[in-house]
Amino acid sequence: MFVSAGALGDGAIDWILGAGRAQAVIAMAGADGSHVYARGNDPLHVPAARLPERPVVDSNGAGDAYVAAFLTYWLEGSPLPEAAAAATIAGTWACGSPGTHTDQITRARLTELLAAIT
């Protein structure tokens, strides 16, 4: 389940995981990165990626890019930390272009950037 960290109330994550509503809760926190919670695992904070060649110009589409990359990696079998790292890169990349369609990250570029940080 993907949620905005700012929209979570006290105990929401424990309730979601405890009630079996999701395998994992990913709380997206903008410039603070994201937090990944999964049953049986310690919470994981993934800081926002830094791409100096792509300064932030527009945050539209960042959440969608995050979710798309996360699901792509996770559904292909990557562990949650790797999926979250790829997702934060994709979200940061989206912030580096005006609008939501002008310069999307390619899989090859995402893989290259992910290898550089892991």
Side-chain angles (χ1 to χ4, degrees):
M1 174 181 286
F2 296 91
V3 298
S4 167
L8 287 173
D10 290 339
I13 292 169
D14 291 335
W15 181 84
I16 292 166
L17 294 175
R21 301 290 184 194
Q23 293 178 14
V25 176
I26 295 82
M28 297 178 289
D32 189 36
S34 61
H35 304 270
V36 178
Y37 305 89
R39 253 182 258 116
N41 294 328
D42 290 332
L44 171 68
H45 174 246
V46 180
R50 303 287 179 235
L51 301 176
E53 72 279 9
R54 292 186 64 84
V56 173
V57 296
D58 187 348
S59 64
N60 283 309
D64 293 333
Y66 183 103
V67 171
F70 187 100
L71 288 174
T72 296
Y73 275 76
W74 191 49
L75 293 173
E76 289 177 347
S78 295
L80 288 170
E82 183 178 344
T88 196
I89 292 168
T92 300
W93 184 276
C95 290
S97 62
T100 59
H101 63 282
T102 57
D103 186 17
Q104 297 173 354
I105 194 166
T106 64
R107 177 63 181 259
R109 183 67 173 136
L110 179 55
T111 300
E112 178 184 307
L113 291 169
L114 181 59
I117 66 165
T118 57

